[in-house]
Amino acid sequence: GNSVTQMEGPVTLSEEAFLTINCTYTATGYPSLFWYVQYPGEGLQLLLKATKADDKGSNKGFEATYRKETTSFHLEKGSVQVSDSAVYFCALSANNAGNMLTFGGGTRLMVKP
Amino acid sequence: DAGITQSPRHKVTETGTPVTLRCHQTENHRYMYWYRQDPGHGLRLIHYSYGVKDTDKGEVSDGYSVSRSKTEDFLLTLESATSSQTSVYFCAISEPGNQPQHFGDGTRLSIL
């Protein structure tokens, strides 16, 4: 079956530090890959997506590249801000009838001033 | 948010009572989903719908039922609430074809 593995948190960084959150996946076929962000007390928001190998998704300074050879979709940001503190979820959709997502367990990011 | 409204946003009720949560969308998306989110378990799918009157079970469907009588509304019912169903419930919508899901703001349900 499909699965998504994320690095466990929390990840604690100082403002302006470089961020990497690792995500690897197992799936049949050619999945689409997503990163979602959840701020405290809110629902999940789509941060970025990639639908085929070597695609790079980007939004709000965050980037992730779909690497089929390493089955990875790592999230990166060059300089984090306190406002980036949230929980980040990696997810995939793999050509299933219900368009269902398989989520990773989430990684909490804490950015200190 | 992508035109998704969950109601109520917060509810406290007692064990054994029926509870219905509502998800309303204005996007005319075909698919709708109900998840629960619990510490240590991430997001788990309860039920989903792939069209009016078409629903199917997810990973944790025991104790829950759903109905979708029109495109815009997807109801989640706990027939007889138990304390183990205390959780935050999220509704999501999407279109077919590996499209992303868009989430509502959640309902915090406490069962005493």
Side-chain angles (χ1 to χ4, degrees), chain B residues 28-53:
Chain B
N28 200 37
H29 280 14
R30 178 179 169 187
Y31 294 152
M32 298 185 76
Y33 311 83
W34 277 108
Y35 292 89
R36 60 179 290 174
Q37 186 177 32
D38 305 287
H41 291 278
L43 278 155
R44 292 182 290 177
L45 182 67
I46 303 171
H47 282 279
Y48 68 100
S49 169
Y50 45 95
V52 173
K53 299 191 188 304

Side-chain angles (χ1 to χ4, degrees), chain A residues 36 38 43 93 95 97-99, chain B residues 31 33 37 94-95 98-99 101:
Chain A
Y36 285 86
Q38 185 178 31
S93 177
N95 298 310
N99 203 35
Chain B
Y31 294 152
Y33 311 83
Q37 186 177 32
S94 80
E95 288 283 71
N98 282 3
Q99 295 301 307
Q101 293 182 14

